[in-house]
Amino acid sequence: MTTIEHLRAKLPFPLKRLADLAYNYWWSWTDDRVSLFRNIDPDKWQESKHNPVELIDSTSYVRLTQLANDPVYIKRLKVLAQQFDNYMASTDTWASSVAPQITAKNPVAYFCAEFGIHESLPIYSGGLGILAGDHLKSSSDLGVPMVAIGLLYRQGYFHQKLNRQGWQEDYYIDNPFERMPIELVKNDRGEALTVEMEIRQRRVKVQVWVVRVGRVNLYLLDTNRDDNDAVDRWLTGHLYGGNLDTRIAQEVLLGIGGVRVLKALGIEPAVHHLNEGHAAFGTLEVARLEIERTGKSFYDIEASVRDRCAFTTHTPVPAGHDVFSSDLMDSYFAHYWPTLGLSREQFLALGARRLGDPWEPFGMTVLALRMCRAANGVSKLHGEVSRKMWKILYPEQPEDKVPIGHITNGVHARTWTAPLMADLYSEYLGEDWSTRVSDPQMWAKLDGVPNEELWWRHQVLKERLIAHTRSKVKAARSDRSEEQYRIDAADRLLDPKILTIGFARRFSLYKRADLIVRDAQRALEIFGNSQRPVQIVFAGKAHPQDEEGKRLIQRVMDWCKHPNLIDRVALIEDYNIYTAQKLIQGVDVWLNNPRRPLEASGTSGQKVCFNGGINFSVLDGWWCEGYQVGADGKGSNGWAIGEDANTSDQELQDRIDSQSLYRLLEEEIVPLYYDRDENGIPHRWIEMMKASIKTNAPLFNTDRMIADYVTQIYAPGTAASAVPVRASALV
Ligand SMILES: *Cc1c(COP(=O)(O)O)cnc(C)c1O
């Protein structure tokens, strides 16, 4: 097992600080980013999947001593290590002045089933995890005392490969824990700190790993110990794998186990923030501890538990919320409800939506709403949808008084802004631009950036995306033994001079990845146009059990093979944070066309804005708030597909939206892109790029989002005015 001491011992004297940097993901959002590590050995950096611990551990003594003799390298390391020390030690942070009540002893405890911090820590699947990662990074930057709780999945989320028929094949790989930037948490005796739980009528011992994300410690629970039953060792095997039984077991572990771990660590959270309902069982454990401490009854302490819990919902459809049958609940909780002093009926009522329905399953969102003093959706529209969906719990309230608010999602600017753009912002907006991202006046200074300057940087980023796409597609074709000419053709894929659209997200029906090929002939004329062509890069996985999603991928793969589109359409396999970065930093246009209102927020389009890309999206999620119309009635900072048209007839809606999509491409987007001056600079396009950055960046970033969470949710005295129907009233 590699540890920080092990790495330090291996490194020659002037390089020792590399070990501290390798074990804190802070490095991944500094100005320097990867270059200090990549310089050690670019090939090994690739092989290690950008994992600095593995990189250093596998670097030869010869190479390390070479670097240790390089004064330029040593100087760079010294500067970065100094920045790191200053960052970790600073006390006059934003949060210390705004919310001094939140302290290291009483921090925010943030619970989530997945965390997307970096591609070298693959314990995320998509949007929820990336949001959680960005949440921790901005909290750290703003100095919000926070710890986070998640699970350390042995094999993470599944990986995707496409076969020659374009069909998705799923597989898992072992995460190389022993060489990841994680450390086992030990007790006073130097042994692994563990907590015990009863799951499926067996004792399970849970150990804990810590990942450092700037100032935030992320604690990851792990059951893979040799003193656990072989079955239980796989409790933390896969993220969103398995069936409902695995699901409930993991949620018991995350919620109840998570609260036990916090107690074992001596942390008494001021607020437990449940990011999505997966961790909602944790509120019961908070209650159990309170009962144990005070000797009072559940109903007496219920309000004090509510006071310490907050909930963010992410799902705009009823079917997306986890519910468990009473049989499953019995098998997991029959030993537990007596410890709360509750009967079976009283206990099950905590997750029931209504009175007297014995078949009502146990809902995690219902439990969370009952047990949390604050609840929010993740965009304005999603807030409205959530109030409507959960009004049933608040029969006394008119819909607009249902106490579910909204805080619109954002992205961590320092993670998602390409270094080349960050450098431009430093020059024109000020060296401190990245600490003032919510200030619209600062962004207004973009007007002073010469168009040529913004354009060449954007074009270079596009070339980087194209290079990445070619190498991924080439490797995939070779892996599935395609003909040599097809493999070689990957070197000619895409062209930096052509208008480039990006589309990347989970392939599921409601996201309509095939909307753009609905009218195949019209699409062909747009993409295959010889004067003003268009190209598109797709990426994304379909959930292993989602056959429809897999068929969508197959359709797109078929489309890639059309003779007129051979160089114009590409799909990158196995979407992850790294590919996402390349995509959102390199595209001209970001396409998003979900069925309204099924996208709670979406964040990819926000990442695009920080890099000068322009959104082309259905007015759903965050884009409802971001999209602006100019005096000419057209979009001034992007485009809206299907405008406000809304029908419950899906077929009709798809037709309206696809026609709008084609019309906008043909009449607005393509002509604007190819309108060039004598030097080939598209000035009107670049004005739109600037508008995209200026209007969106100050709003849709996680510094603004965390400030909202701190002032509206975390700060004491922000209790909701209405309480849902008490569970006690149901029995
Ligand atoms: C940002 C991001 C997402 C979120 O996608 P949306 O469709 O915008 O919600 C998913 N996966 C990865 C890898 C990302 O970086």
Side-chain angles (χ1 to χ4, degrees):
M1 185 74 211
T2 315
T3 62
I4 195 162
E5 289 75 30
H6 168 100
L7 269 204
R8 222 179 264 134
K10 187 181 156 102
L11 287 161
F13 168 72
L15 304 184
K16 293 218 181 281
R17 295 305 308 275
L18 277 174
D20 302 321
L21 295 174
Y23 273 89
N24 190 321
Y25 274 107
W26 172 83
W27 67 265
S28 70
W29 71 90
T30 57
D31 290 342
D32 188 86
R33 308 279 169 91
V34 299
S35 76
L36 206 66
F37 290 123
R38 191 168 51 199
N39 283 173
I40 295 177
D41 186 332
D43 292 335
K44 280 207 159 58
W45 181 239
Q46 286 277 56
E47 277 162 37
S48 74
K49 298 183 181 152
H50 311 148
N51 169 357
V53 173
E54 183 172 332
L55 168 82
I56 295 171
D57 199 41
S58 62
T59 298
S60 69
Y61 187 52
V62 173
R63 179 61 188 147
L64 290 177
T65 51
Q66 247 174 16
L67 286 168
N69 280 279
D70 175 352
V72 177
Y73 189 84
I74 296 175
K75 180 81 194 298
R76 278 170 58 206
L77 173 55
K78 211 168 164 176
V79 170
L80 198 66
Q82 187 61 54
Q83 274 178 26
F84 177 59
D85 293 340
N86 294 346
Y87 178 91
M88 295 300 284
S90 67
T91 49
D92 62 339
T93 59
W94 175 86
S96 67
S97 60
V98 174
Q101 316 88 330
I102 306 171
T103 60
K105 177 109 183 63
N106 302 116
V108 176
Y110 183 83
F111 288 69
C112 193
E114 51 169 312
F115 286 90
I117 312 280
H118 187 260
E119 63 264 21
S120 61
L121 187 66
I123 54 167
Y124 61 92
S125 89
L128 183 71
I130 308 292
L131 178 79
D134 284 4
H135 194 104
L136 303 192
K137 291 172 187 174
S138 267
S139 295
S140 169
D141 291 344
L142 297 182
V144 181
M146 182 175 288
V147 295
I149 295 282
L151 302 181
L152 184 65
Y153 302 98
R154 251 165 107 172
Q155 299 188 326
Y157 197 52
F158 80 95
H159 291 271
Q160 172 196 55
K161 226 189 229 200
L162 303 177
N163 68 17
R164 285 178 134 203
Q165 284 72 46
W167 191 252
Q168 172 177 304
E169 295 175 334
D170 322 317
Y171 65 100
Y172 284 94
I173 46 185
D174 286 332
N175 278 329
F177 287 173
E178 62 295 340
R179 280 178 152 192
M180 278 165 52
I182 58 177
E183 288 188 283
L184 192 64
V185 178
K186 307 260 176 76
N187 62 19
D188 307 339
R189 296 185 300 280
E191 303 153 346
L193 178 127
T194 56
V195 301
E196 292 208 359
M197 334 211 6
E198 185 178 329
I199 298 180
R200 301 175 182 142
Q201 289 103 49
R202 272 192 301 266
R203 291 259 108 201
V204 179
K205 261 193 177 176
V206 185
Q207 60 186 15
V208 190
W209 302 79
V210 63
V211 179
R212 296 180 209 285
V213 186
R215 285 183 268 235
V216 174
N217 282 350
L218 164 58
Y219 295 102
L220 297 171
L221 281 56
D222 170 25
T223 60
N224 185 20
R225 291 172 52 88
D226 49 20
D227 49 1
N228 278 335
D229 182 274
V231 174
D232 299 330
R233 294 181 67 169
W234 280 99
L235 274 173
T236 44
H238 304 115
L239 169 61
Y240 308 144
N243 52 18
L244 271 180
D245 186 62
T246 323
R247 184 89 167 199
I248 191 173
Q250 288 187 336
E251 296 189 2
V252 166
L253 186 62
L254 178 67
I256 297 180
V259 171
R260 285 190 190 165
V261 164
L262 289 170
K263 183 163 194 291
L265 291 168
I267 295 168
E268 292 170 30
V271 191
H272 301 77
H273 182 182
L274 315 176
N275 193 41
E276 191 49 304
H278 306 123
F281 291 137
T283 59
L284 302 176
E285 183 66 7
V286 176
R288 195 188 63 80
L289 292 173
E290 190 65 9
I291 292 168
E292 201 172 76
R293 194 178 68 82
T294 60
K296 294 187 182 162
S297 82
F298 181 87
Y299 297 117
D300 287 336
I301 53 95
E302 194 183 1
S304 84
V305 175
R306 275 179 70 81
D307 241 14
R308 281 179 282 153
C309 298
F311 170 53
T312 301
T313 176
H314 290 263
T315 318
V317 276
H321 296 260
D322 276 346
V323 293
F324 300 115
S325 69
S326 47
D327 280 353
L328 262 187
M329 291 303 291
D330 286 347
S331 79
Y332 281 85
F333 286 96
H335 73 283
Y336 193 82
W337 60 67
T339 65
L340 298 175
L342 296 179
S343 69
R344 176 176 183 271
E345 287 63 36
Q346 287 170 324
F347 182 78
L348 293 182
L350 290 166
R353 278 182 307 175
R354 59 189 134 216
L355 281 163
D357 179 352
W359 300 110
E360 173 79 23
F362 192 97
M364 296 302 275
T365 301
V366 177
L367 175 66
L369 289 171
R370 283 235 167 78
M371 300 301 292
C372 293
R373 74 168 145 83
N376 68 286
V378 290
S379 69
K380 184 161 176 285
L381 179 62
H382 180 232
E384 285 164 25
V385 170
S386 302
R387 285 190 286 280
K388 180 178 273 163
M389 189 157 41
W390 297 109
K391 170 157 173 26
I392 185 164
L393 286 182
Y394 307 83
E396 314 275 288
Q397 303 292 325
E399 191 173 296
D400 62 338
K401 291 282 171 356
V402 168
I404 303 177
H406 79 272
I407 291 180
T408 304
N409 284 345
V411 296
H412 186 247
R414 294 163 290 281
T415 292
W416 298 103
T417 307
L420 210 52
M421 296 299 287
D423 176 61
L424 179 77
Y425 299 156
S426 286
E427 189 175 336
Y428 288 89
L429 312 183
E431 287 288 338
D432 61 346
W433 76 271
S434 75
T435 59
R436 297 172 50 209
V437 288
S438 305
D439 174 6
Q441 256 119 45
M442 177 192 81
W443 289 104
K445 292 192 205 154
L446 264 183
D447 289 336
V449 175
N451 285 350
E452 291 74 9
E453 179 83 26
L454 182 55
W455 189 244
W456 79 253
R457 287 175 193 258
H458 171 67
Q459 283 298 106
V460 170
L461 285 164
K462 201 199 290 188
E463 290 184 45
R464 183 75 189 86
L465 164 63
I466 292 175
H468 176 69
T469 309
R470 287 179 183 170
S471 88
K472 294 293 270 187
V473 170
K474 188 167 188 171
R477 286 183 184 172
S478 153
D479 189 60
R480 61 178 98 99
S481 315
E482 292 197 26
E483 296 85 346
Q484 193 58 43
Y485 83 91
R486 285 273 299 159
I487 298 173
D488 296 339
D491 292 329
R492 297 185 298 275
L493 202 56
L494 309 176
D495 176 345
K497 292 191 290 300
I498 296 180
L499 171 61
T500 306
I501 301 178
F503 183 101
R505 52 191 46 83
R506 185 155 48 84
F507 275 83
S508 66
L509 225 42
Y510 83 85
K511 300 208 182 210
R512 299 188 297 185
D514 59 344
L515 194 70
I516 198 159
V517 284
R518 222 183 117 87
D519 181 342
Q521 193 49 40
R522 200 162 168 192
L524 201 60
E525 276 158 28
I526 293 171
F527 285 84
N529 189 299
S530 57
Q531 258 77 55
R532 300 188 305 188
V534 180
Q535 59 193 9
I536 185 165
V537 184
F538 290 91
K541 304 172 177 179
H543 190 275
Q545 274 126 38
D546 182 4
E547 296 274 318
E548 308 251 33
K550 292 184 181 180
R551 267 197 287 281
L552 281 180
I553 295 179
Q554 201 168 29
R555 277 199 76 186
V556 171
M557 284 298 277
D558 274 347
W559 198 50
C560 293
K561 293 190 185 133
H562 190 286
N564 295 10
L565 299 176
I566 232 70
D567 299 331
R568 306 266 160 86
V569 185
L571 191 152
I572 304 177
E573 284 180 6
D574 207 29
Y575 191 43
N576 70 355
I577 290 181
Y578 186 69
T579 291
Q581 261 175 351
K582 295 294 155 275
L583 260 172
I584 58 95
Q585 293 169 358
V587 295
D588 296 303
V589 169
W590 190 254
L591 175 64
N592 188 21
N593 48 29
R595 255 185 209 126
R596 259 186 9 147
L598 300 188
E599 182 98 313
S601 166
T603 53
S604 308
Q606 304 174 341
K607 301 169 191 166
V608 167
C609 296
F610 280 88
N611 296 282
I614 306 177
N615 278 274
F616 176 32
S617 170
V618 166
L619 285 177
D620 197 8
W622 78 276
W623 188 231
C624 271
E625 294 158 63
Y627 175 63
Q628 293 184 2
V629 182
D632 59 0
K634 294 181 180 168
S636 61
N637 64 349
W639 296 276
I641 298 167
E643 309 272 317
D644 256 333
N646 239 341
T647 154
S648 54
D649 178 345
Q650 284 189 356
E651 180 58 29
L652 178 63
Q653 185 75 53
D654 288 357
R655 194 159 69 234
I656 294 173
D657 289 350
S658 72
Q659 279 168 7
S660 160
L661 188 158
Y662 293 132
R663 191 195 64 74
L664 285 166
L665 271 173
E666 293 161 347
E667 294 175 13
E668 296 191 27
I669 301 176
V670 171
L672 190 69
Y673 184 81
Y674 287 105
D675 176 14
R676 306 294 173 104
D677 73 1
E678 61 279 13
N679 300 317
I681 306 287
H683 291 283
R684 284 172 56 225
W685 183 272
I686 297 168
E687 289 311 321
M688 191 115 156
M689 289 171 70
K690 287 182 180 173
S692 170
I693 306 171
K694 276 189 300 190
T695 56
N696 294 311
L699 289 174
F700 303 106
N701 66 74
T702 38
D703 287 1
R704 185 275 307 153
M705 183 185 89
I706 292 298
D708 285 349
Y709 274 103
V710 168
T711 53
Q712 297 171 32
I713 307 263
Y714 297 157
T718 52
S721 52
V723 176
V725 176
R726 288 292 187 91
S728 52
L730 301 186
V731 285

